[in-house]
Each structure stands twice: as C-alpha cells, then as structure tokens.
Amino acid sequence: MLHLPASTEFNRRIPKQKFYENLSVTPTLRRVFVEQMKMIWWRNKIAASTVNLASGQMVTEIEVFEIQLNQPSLDEAVLKLIDKEIPYHILFLLTYEDKVQAWIGYKEAAASGTGAFKVNRYYHTEWMPSDKLQLPLTGLNLDAVYENYVRQIAGDALNTGSSESLKESVDREKKKRELEKKMAALEAKIRKEKQFNRQLEMNAELKEIRKELEKYK
C-alpha cells in the first residue's frame, strides 16, 4: 500500500490478545478488540537502520501497523492503548475488505521524562481503495518524515504556512476545535433562551468567539 523500501519490511503478526490479556483493560475495550478487530500486522519499521535517514531528536523509529477489521470502523481507544504500549511513533493502516484508512497520532514526550509518549490528537484519511493511498516517505531525518506523515494524513486540518511548526499547527487546530464546540453550544442556548436581554448578552459573547476563531483559520 505504501510502497516503502523492502529494507523496512517486517511483516510480523502480533496477537491482539497481547494488548489486553495482561493489561488493565475495561470489559468494554476488551470487547472492542474481540469484535471489531480481525488481526494486527507489524508491516514496516522505518528507522536509521532500515532506510538512509538519520534519527530525529524526538522520532527514532516509525512503525507501520496494519489492523484488519471486521467492520469499517474502530474505537479510537484501541489505537491509544497500542500507542501507549509501543514506545515508538506508529502509522496505523486500518483495512476492511479492499479499502484502507491511514491514522496517525500526534505524539509528544510525556511530562514525566521517562521516555514515554502521550497522544494528544489523532488524524486520519477517508476510506479509499488500497491502491489509492499515497503517503510519500519524505524528509531528511525521522522527525521530518513523521511530521510529513502527520500533515499528509491531517490534510486541510493542518494546512498552514511552512513557518509554523507541527506543534504550533496542532495547537492551533485544537484551539479552533474548542472554539467551534463552544460556539455551537452557545448557539444552541440562544435558540432556547426566552429572555430578550439574555439573548443580547449571549449574542455579544458569540460575536467575540467568532472574532477569536478568525485568528485560528
């Protein structure tokens, strides 16, 4: 699907039980593993040892996991659990029948300083035929490759100028989503409000939110 160099191929099946049998997983999440997922394949390892690229300051390896599904959707909590257990950056390929969807999390080093990561946000493509997925391996080091994967998969959500760092782009998009959510909630309240004076107050607040939202577009 990704046409990565043969040197990156790993093709090892990972029993899905590995991620929930010996971990503190809720019954609901365990059921997701059983019902929504068919199997997990570790398809590729992108690292300085497998491609002619230098390690990055943050990214030393990018693993490519293919998750074969029993249905055309997967609970995001599964990806979070896998990302939590694997101490590297992961590009997920969800496959169902002859379609594929690429997912990637914006991973940052945890504040604990233990070398662990936390995922702040997932981005994904639309479902598409397997032979139509195009994610070129570009960048001078693995930090750049990872950033390019995030931007390619996120698409318009992170469509910003080149002067903005990936973290700045993600933070901007997060703030934009928060404001949009706040605006939608306030609009719903205005529609239900009976008192005219209160409507005026909330409309003034809504105007300020819209003004602030323009900064993040």
Side-chain angles (χ1 to χ4, degrees):
M1 283 176 281
L2 296 182
H3 306 292
L4 291 169
S7 56
T8 69
E9 291 179 4
F10 203 61
N11 292 325
R12 179 178 298 175
R13 182 178 175 181
I14 304 176
K16 58 185 182 181
Q17 296 91 332
K18 178 182 176 67
F19 292 105
Y20 64 79
E21 283 189 343
N22 300 315
L23 300 173
S24 298
V25 175
T26 65
T28 299
L29 189 53
R30 181 187 295 263
R31 192 158 55 248
V32 169
F33 270 93
V34 173
E35 297 177 357
Q36 296 184 10
M37 300 172 62
K38 189 178 295 182
M39 62 182 69
I40 304 173
W41 288 90
W42 187 346
R43 290 300 189 190
N44 302 83
K45 181 170 79 169
I46 303 170
S49 60
T50 63
V51 290
N52 188 26
L53 291 170
S55 290
Q57 291 185 334
M58 291 291 296
V59 184
T60 57
E61 289 186 17
I62 302 172
E63 319 302 344
V64 180
F65 281 14
E66 179 187 352
I67 302 179
Q68 298 174 353
L69 302 178
N70 292 316
Q71 60 181 51
S73 63
L74 180 65
D75 192 315
E76 193 175 294
V78 168
L79 303 185
K80 288 182 178 179
L81 179 65
I82 295 174
D83 255 323
K84 181 181 178 182
E85 294 304 312
I86 304 295
Y88 298 109
H89 294 72
I90 305 175
L91 168 59
F92 293 99
L93 301 177
L94 308 189
T95 59
Y96 177 69
E97 295 181 346
D98 61 344
K99 298 291 181 67
V100 63
Q101 190 178 48
W103 283 68
I104 195 165
Y106 174 64
K107 242 176 176 180
E108 287 185 304
S112 62
T114 60
F117 291 96
K118 62 176 181 178
V119 178
N120 290 329
R121 171 83 162 94
Y122 280 99
Y123 298 97
H124 63 84
T125 66
E126 299 297 323
W127 283 103
M128 65 185 75
S130 298
D131 59 351
K132 297 298 183 182
L133 180 63
Q134 300 291 329
L135 293 174
L137 179 69
T138 57
L140 298 178
N141 58 43
L142 290 174
D143 282 347
V145 170
Y146 167 70
E147 176 172 339
N148 286 327
Y149 273 153
V150 173
R151 291 190 181 279
Q152 289 177 72
I153 292 170
D156 291 341
L158 297 180
N159 186 18
T160 56
S162 59
S163 62
E164 189 176 68
S165 71
L166 179 59
K167 177 174 174 51
E168 289 170 337
S169 294
V170 171
D171 289 344
R172 176 191 55 79
E173 192 262 345
K174 179 182 178 182
K175 183 64 175 179
K176 179 185 174 184
R177 286 187 293 113
E178 289 173 349
L179 288 170
E180 289 173 340
K181 185 177 179 180
K182 186 176 180 180
M183 187 170 68
L186 188 56
E187 287 172 339
K189 284 183 179 180
I190 292 173
R191 288 193 294 269
K192 295 178 181 179
E193 182 57 55
K194 303 299 183 184
Q195 296 183 22
F196 181 67
N197 288 343
R198 182 61 183 140
Q199 285 181 342
L200 290 178
E201 291 174 3
M202 288 192 290
N203 272 306
E205 184 181 352
L206 185 62
K207 184 178 179 180
E208 289 301 313
I209 294 174
R210 285 175 175 156
K211 184 178 179 180
E212 186 177 1
L213 184 58
E214 286 299 315
K215 302 175 184 177
Y216 298 94
K217 290 185 176 180

